[in-house]
Amino acid sequence: MRSQPVICIADDDEAIRELLAIYLKNEGYALRFAKNGQEVLDLASTETIDLLILDLMMPVMGGIEACIEIRKTQFMPILMLTAKTSDLDLMQGISVGADDYIKKPFNPLEVTLRVKSLLRRYRDYGSDRADLTSTLVFENVTLDLQTRQCRKDEMLIRLTPKEFDILAYFMRHPNQVLTVEQIYEAVWGEAAFEVDNTVMVHITKIREKLEDTPRKPTIIKTVWGVGYRL
């Protein structure tokens, strides 16, 4: 990641784009803007975006469709903005590859903190610091922390940044039962006061990508009433 991360704010509401720009510029981020999902795809095809703030509801192409297309080739963290409040709507963005979401109306300071957290986790899990092993292996699954690639046997598995971070956390704690709160605090870098279904949705997506039979997982197993175990 470059010294000045590039953040794309994608929202059809100009007031929201301008509000977020004020706070994010103060943090030293370089900014790009889009009014719909198609503009996001066009922008991402011509330059490197380090983090995407993506509104769920936009004209021409909405956030869900844009997220699906982006995840076919790119792995930058995605923070979804949504005015919808049902659990199903909120989890839909996570299920197609978003790393986190914030409900509208929001506090721009909270958005800034989430951006910092996502960028920090993405940077830290992809670095080659002395205290990190560059490769993690569990059975036939391998994570390369420098390239942030996941392979099952010789097949490349495309994980979102959050999916990669969760799997890396499990692989650093093999055979240990981890609670949802532990996973959330370690990967999101925030206190788990009210953890919803976010962790569960991410683990479901990891299973769909890694397991031969996702409904009968053999890699990440559920420990009922406690959490999960690799």
Side-chain angles (χ1 to χ4, degrees):
M1 191 176 297
R2 290 152 288 170
S3 58
Q4 186 185 41
V6 176
I7 297 175
C8 175
I9 304 173
D11 197 302
D12 61 316
D13 189 327
E14 183 178 3
I16 289 179
R17 297 197 304 271
E18 292 178 349
L19 176 63
L20 290 177
I22 292 172
Y23 283 81
L24 294 174
K25 280 182 179 178
N26 286 338
E27 298 296 330
Y29 299 125
L31 301 180
R32 304 291 185 269
F33 302 94
K35 297 187 292 295
N36 58 63
Q38 185 58 56
E39 291 186 6
V40 173
L41 298 183
D42 294 341
L43 184 63
S45 69
T46 59
E47 66 175 297
T48 299
I49 303 298
D50 293 302
L51 184 141
L52 173 60
I53 300 175
L54 187 62
D55 184 32
L56 183 67
M57 303 295 292
M58 292 184 292
V60 182
M61 179 186 291
I64 295 295
E65 186 178 354
C67 190
I68 292 172
E69 291 302 313
I70 287 170
R71 281 295 180 240
K72 291 179 179 178
T73 58
Q74 301 192 45
F75 307 99
M76 82 283 275
I78 296 177
L79 175 62
M80 192 79 79
L81 302 179
T82 175
K84 296 187 175 183
T85 57
S86 75
D87 287 343
L88 182 61
D89 291 324
L90 295 174
M91 289 302 106
Q92 185 180 16
I94 297 293
S95 69
V96 297
D99 297 284
D100 202 356
Y101 64 84
I102 288 184
K103 301 177 186 179
K104 293 182 179 180
F106 54 77
N107 184 331
L109 286 175
E110 181 184 1
V111 176
T112 302
L113 290 174
R114 296 287 185 93
V115 166
K116 287 182 178 180
S117 176
L118 285 169
L119 288 173
R120 182 177 65 251
R121 301 304 299 180
Y122 184 79
R123 178 195 64 222
D124 289 351
Y125 274 96
S127 71
D128 57 352
R129 298 175 303 170
D131 63 331
L132 288 179
T133 303
S134 61
T135 302
L136 297 173
V137 180
F138 182 84
E139 296 181 353
N140 62 339
V141 178
T142 302
L143 291 185
D144 187 319
L145 299 177
Q146 295 186 41
T147 63
R148 291 184 66 84
Q149 289 186 335
C150 172
R151 291 185 181 276
K152 181 180 179 183
D153 295 320
E154 296 301 318
M155 183 173 62
L156 181 64
I157 305 296
R158 295 188 177 277
L159 300 178
T160 70
K162 270 294 185 293
E163 291 166 2
F164 186 97
D165 293 347
I166 290 172
L167 186 56
Y169 183 62
F170 272 109
M171 293 176 75
R172 289 194 177 97
H173 302 83
N175 300 310
Q176 179 179 335
V177 177
L178 302 172
T179 67
V180 170
E181 289 75 17
Q182 283 177 302
I183 298 168
Y184 186 88
E185 291 181 359
V187 175
W188 274 259
E190 302 174 0
F193 294 117
E194 293 183 6
V195 179
D196 50 25
N197 294 326
T198 303
V199 172
M200 181 191 71
V201 173
H202 278 87
I203 290 177
T204 298
K205 298 301 292 185
I206 293 172
R207 285 171 169 168
E208 290 175 355
K209 296 177 180 182
L210 289 182
E211 300 280 3
D212 295 329
T213 308
R215 291 185 177 275
K216 296 180 179 179
T218 61
I219 300 173
I220 299 179
K221 298 183 178 181
T222 300
V223 181
W224 295 107
V226 183
Y228 299 91
R229 175 173 57 84
L230 187 71

